Amino acid sequence: MKKQDNTYRYIAEYYSMHHDELCAFAAKRLKFAYEAEDIVHNVFLKLLTVDKMITPVTLPCLVYTMMRNLIFDNWRHHKSIGEYEHVLAATERVDRQDAASVYSASELNQLLERGIARLSDRQREVYRMNVIDGMKVSEISMTLKIGYKSTEHRLGEARKEVRGYLARMLA
């Protein structure tokens, strides 16, 4: 227990004496300087959970090695974010040409209601219970007291009909 207390004392002393220096070291190497403080704190949090023996001689080397690794991780993180932003930007340009973006939500809702109105009474009831009320096929079949397969068939036909109607209307 005394060794652990000494380790914590070494870490606390090193942190208080070199905090500004370590923040400057990290800030110089990072794209965003505000992340330097977080990296320094993460290094010392990790040091407090390390099981290895830490001495005043090994502590500076360990701190700078851990900082370097966290800085590299930060670079990789920002690189992957940059790559993903290009993917998002490319898909946004494609999505803007999507037919659904031309219609407002109320217009789409009206089209959906017209599509549902075209269904038979049995199909409409099963479709509304599934899509709007969020019931499962088994719950619908028990509620309506009809067979599971019959309910499944009605729902499948209703979906096919509504999907076809929406595709024709949005084309």
Side-chain angles (χ1 to χ4, degrees):
M1 188 70 176
K2 188 171 181 170
K3 282 185 179 181
Q4 192 173 21
D5 290 340
N6 284 338
T7 302
Y8 291 156
R9 188 171 48 82
Y10 295 146
I11 293 170
E13 287 174 5
Y14 191 84
Y15 178 79
S16 62
M17 289 173 43
H18 299 282
H19 177 267
D20 295 335
E21 173 190 333
L22 295 170
C23 284
F25 175 84
K28 186 175 181 181
R29 288 157 179 79
L30 291 171
K31 185 175 183 181
F32 302 105
Y34 63 87
E35 294 175 333
E37 186 83 21
D38 293 339
I39 287 183
V40 171
H41 286 294
N42 287 341
V43 166
F44 283 96
L45 285 174
K46 286 183 180 186
L47 280 172
L48 292 172
T49 60
V50 169
D51 301 0
K52 310 284 188 235
M53 184 176 77
I54 297 175
T55 65
V57 174
T58 61
L59 185 60
C61 298
L62 188 57
V63 166
Y64 279 96
T65 301
M66 291 174 78
M67 283 190 59
R68 187 191 72 218
N69 291 340
L70 287 175
I71 289 169
F72 287 156
D73 289 346
N74 186 285
W75 289 346
R76 282 191 292 272
H77 174 71
H78 283 289
K79 182 180 177 189
S80 65
I81 286 174
E83 290 171 359
Y84 188 65
E85 285 176 344
H86 292 299
V87 171
L88 284 177
T91 57
E92 273 184 24
R93 277 184 244 119
V94 172
D95 288 345
R96 288 186 187 143
Q97 304 304 320
D98 190 3
S101 66
V102 175
Y103 293 97
S104 70
S106 63
E107 290 173 327
L108 288 173
N109 195 25
Q110 288 174 358
L111 285 174
L112 179 64
E113 286 299 324
R114 282 191 224 132
I116 293 173
R118 297 172 54 94
L119 301 173
S120 70
D121 291 337
R122 292 177 181 174
Q123 288 176 337
R124 187 178 315 115
E125 187 176 23
V126 171
Y127 187 81
R128 284 191 183 278
M129 291 174 91
N130 179 262
V131 174
I132 297 171
D133 299 337
M135 295 175 70
K136 297 179 182 174
V137 175
S138 57
E139 295 170 342
I140 295 169
S141 69
M142 286 191 298
T143 303
L144 298 178
K145 295 182 174 62
I146 54 177
Y148 181 88
K149 285 292 185 185
S150 176
T151 306
E152 205 172 52
H153 178 72
R154 288 179 189 172
L155 181 61
E157 290 297 316
R159 285 181 176 165
K160 193 184 302 181
E161 176 67 30
V162 171
R163 208 177 307 130
Y165 177 76
L166 289 176
R168 286 190 306 275
M169 298 315 287
L170 293 174

